[in-house]
Amino acid sequence: MTSSSTPGLSSAIPGILRRPAVPAAPGIVHLGLGNFHRAHQAVYTDAAVTAHGGDWGIIGVASRSTAIPDAMHAQDMLYTVVEISPGGSKFSLPRVHTDAFTAAANPDRVITAIGDAGTRIVSLTVTENGYNYTPATGSLNLQDPAIQHDLANPGTPRTPIGQIVRGLQHRSRTHAEPVTILSCDNLADNGHHTQRLVREFASRLPPAEAGEALAFIDTRTSFPSSMVDRIVPATTDHYRSLVASERGYSDRIPVPAEPFTMWIVEDNFIAGRPTWEDGGAVFSDEVAGYEQLKVRLLNGTHSLIAYLGALTGAVTIPDSVSHPAIELAARSVLQNEYLPSVTVPSGVDVDAYEEQLFSRWRNTALGHRTSQVGSDGSVKLRQRIPLPALQMLDDGRTPQLLALTTAAYLACIAPLPGFDPGPQAHAMEDPARGLLAGLAAGSRSGQDFARKVLGDHHLLGQELAERDEFILRTGEFIDIIHSAGTLAAVAEASTAASLTSAPSLQTTRSTP
């Protein structure tokens, strides 16, 4: 095993993490204190503060659970990042969090933290589902009870969008210092997407409040887009034991992560920023191209691997992608259905990028679970499938593997009566499971089910709801999965894809 040094840990109290020095003053409020933030943005911020200082400490805000904030307070705001690879493990301790608390128990504290003059960045990793928008339209979901609550109760916001707007109102009424809102979630054009939702919420306030809030948003905030990438599985007792045995101290909340990490950011920070480039972040005006690579080639293909794996009994992503038929399907959807829709950033070698992805997915030491990757598909797939599918349909070709991805997702989350998708599928979480299960229970066939989900309920948006060929093909794959098995559906999709006549696929590439 390999390990990095861990200087400064207290030897006076063995087994307890102690902070070696006073941290930087807080300058960032982060919403979503999960594993990804603690293994990604926090690591980059730690490198920036270590290299150049600055008041860029992070106040971490968990949504509901107190587990991470409680553990961080017990450990002087420290935790271990465990980089996992077949060659061994490396350990590090980011030292940038200055406080942590739970929003559900402290809604007024969230407003105060965002509204504080020292806060110059409010960042988010709340997953696609945390933005409370309608996938079919991309607009704020005004029918969501949580959004309705936040509009009616200014002092106790529950949603990230409500928390941000109420915090911005606090800033506007006190000191009016500028602030950057930085989305780090897998949303296309996430900066503008977040800005639009924030403005939509503000516009629904009483007229006088709305005018004040919108004026502040339009003149004193910025919303850069970013692309984040690192595989970060859930914490388990295995990693707690690993830290204890290898490092000699107890850590309740270690974060496992792959060695690979990437952060592409638009340099649009109205109130300054840390020197995240010291940690390897890339500031670029081609964030959209990197987003397309990530959301479609990585995330879209990852979803197919997860759903096919879960349906065939694979517990982990390495287990799934090791199956030759699933790997072939994954390469086919990446190369022939996602890639043609991507504007590849200058300097990116697509072939090398693909091989890097498969190498990451094969990391058996990491063991990313298919159930974790497959969760929240009702929101995730809306970001990944529609544009590539519509482009192929407009070219007169059927997106076989994209239809299979949709069918496999539906088979996992809401199987037709009499079909058991297996324990990994049952373990997936999805906000639409109840709705989809009700539709499945009342469907005569996969095609009937697909018509209801895609056509009537617009799971993948308005435009695909009007494309009968895609809906029909998705329904056919559902029926094949239920009657002949998942691998039969994979074989059917792969054969049909190889027989589809396609024009020369010229991937759009940006010029240097």
Side-chain angles (χ1 to χ4, degrees):
M1 303 285 285
T2 60
S3 61
S4 59
S5 61
T6 309
L9 292 180
S10 172
S11 57
I13 309 177
I16 302 296
L17 290 177
R18 294 296 180 194
R19 184 181 296 279
V22 176
I28 301 171
V29 172
H30 184 81
L31 306 180
L33 191 57
N35 277 13
F36 184 83
H37 159 70
R38 292 186 295 125
H40 192 269
Q41 182 191 354
V43 173
Y44 285 90
T45 305
D46 182 68
V49 172
T50 298
H52 286 99
D55 291 333
W56 295 112
I58 300 173
I59 298 173
V61 183
S63 177
R64 296 179 183 86
S65 173
T66 62
I68 292 175
D70 287 352
M72 290 186 70
H73 279 285
Q75 299 175 181
D76 279 359
M77 308 310 295
L78 296 176
Y79 60 90
T80 312
V81 175
V82 186
E83 289 190 6
I84 305 294
S85 71
S89 302
K90 295 177 63 175
F91 304 83
S92 62
L93 289 99
R95 303 169 188 270
V96 292
H97 289 92
T98 63
D99 198 2
F101 63 93
T102 302
N106 304 274
D108 56 333
R109 194 174 174 187
V110 182
I111 297 173
T112 302
I114 294 174
D116 190 274
T119 298
R120 288 175 282 168
I121 296 172
V122 178
S123 51
L124 303 88
T125 51
V126 295
T127 76
E128 297 95 325
N129 194 41
Y131 288 76
N132 299 88
Y133 71 101
T134 303
T137 64
S139 298
L140 190 68
N141 183 3
L142 296 172
Q143 305 307 311
D144 188 321
I147 291 294
Q148 293 176 350
H149 170 275
D150 287 2
L151 287 169
N153 298 274
T156 57
R158 297 173 179 172
T159 69
I161 299 300
Q163 290 159 357
I164 289 170
V165 173
R166 297 307 184 182
L168 295 181
Q169 286 184 285
H170 181 86
R171 299 181 76 89
S172 175
R173 295 166 179 171
T174 52
H175 49 77
E177 290 295 321
V179 65
T180 296
I181 312 299
L182 176 63
S183 171
C184 299
D185 285 298
N186 290 326
L187 297 164
D189 196 16
N190 57 12
H192 289 107
H193 184 80
T194 305
Q195 182 181 37
R196 181 172 64 252
L197 297 176
V198 165
R199 294 190 86 262
E200 287 180 9
F201 185 100
S203 71
R204 292 285 176 163
L205 298 174
E209 286 188 54
E212 174 192 56
L214 289 169
F216 184 84
I217 292 166
D218 291 342
T219 61
R220 305 295 284 168
T221 66
S222 63
F223 292 79
S225 286
S226 70
M227 186 282 287
V228 298
D229 190 3
R230 193 174 202 184
I231 295 175
V232 180
T235 298
T236 64
D237 286 340
H238 167 76
Y239 297 110
R240 296 183 182 96
S241 298
L242 181 64
V243 170
S245 63
E246 293 292 320
R247 309 307 294 157
Y249 57 79
S250 174
D251 185 351
R252 288 155 57 181
I253 51 168
V255 184
E258 66 170 335
F260 177 89
T261 181
M262 179 183 285
W263 196 8
I264 312 295
V265 195
E266 180 185 7
D267 203 353
N268 177 26
F269 290 79
I270 195 171
R273 63 169 177 81
T275 57
W276 281 318
E277 53 267 48
D278 288 314
V282 174
F283 289 87
S284 171
D285 58 4
E286 296 185 89
V287 173
Y290 283 101
E291 284 178 346
Q292 291 172 10
L293 281 178
K294 166 75 187 309
V295 171
R296 297 177 195 170
L297 273 62
L298 190 160
N299 297 138
T301 307
H302 211 187
S303 290
L304 179 63
I305 294 169
Y307 296 128
L308 296 181
L311 290 170
T312 55
V315 175
T316 68
I317 294 296
D319 292 338
S320 178
V321 81
S322 68
H323 194 293
I326 295 177
E327 178 180 350
L328 179 63
R331 289 190 182 273
S332 179
V333 76
L334 185 155
Q335 295 169 1
N336 301 321
E337 301 191 9
Y338 280 123
L339 183 56
S341 70
V342 171
T343 300
V344 179
S346 55
V348 173
D349 182 329
V350 174
D351 293 336
Y353 183 80
E354 177 184 340
E355 292 310 314
Q356 183 182 60
L357 290 181
F358 277 88
S359 177
R360 294 166 64 189
W361 291 328
R362 292 191 189 100
N363 185 345
T364 54
L366 199 63
H368 207 184
R369 299 179 72 87
T370 54
S371 59
Q372 182 181 358
V373 177
S375 290
D376 295 330
S378 59
V379 181
K380 292 175 178 177
L381 296 185
R382 179 64 180 82
Q383 299 292 319
R384 302 168 187 181
I385 288 177
L387 287 177
L390 289 166
Q391 179 173 308
M392 288 189 68
L393 291 166
D394 288 343
D395 287 341
R397 297 180 293 126
T398 301
Q400 303 285 342
L401 279 306
L402 296 178
L404 177 63
T405 303
T406 308
Y409 158 71
L410 292 172
C412 283
I413 299 299
L416 295 179
F419 180 77
D420 183 357
Q424 307 312 314
H426 291 308
M428 292 176 184
E429 298 179 359
D430 198 291
R433 184 187 284 274
L435 168 65
L436 296 176
L439 295 175
S443 296
R444 300 182 304 275
S445 66
Q447 293 186 37
D448 183 32
F449 184 34
R451 171 65 60 189
K452 293 175 181 177
V453 172
L454 301 177
D456 298 339
H457 287 268
H458 301 178
L459 176 73
L460 297 181
Q462 176 68 42
E463 291 183 86
L464 268 185
E466 299 171 357
R467 307 305 286 260
D468 288 342
E469 185 177 0
F470 184 82
I471 295 172
L472 175 63
R473 197 59 174 140
T474 298
E476 290 173 345
F477 284 131
I478 294 173
D479 285 329
I480 295 171
I481 290 170
H482 285 61
S483 63
T486 302
L487 294 180
V490 172
E492 166 67 19
S494 298
T495 299
S498 67
L499 295 176
T500 300
S501 59
S504 177
L505 297 179
Q506 296 294 326
T507 302
T508 306
R509 296 175 184 268
S510 59
T511 56

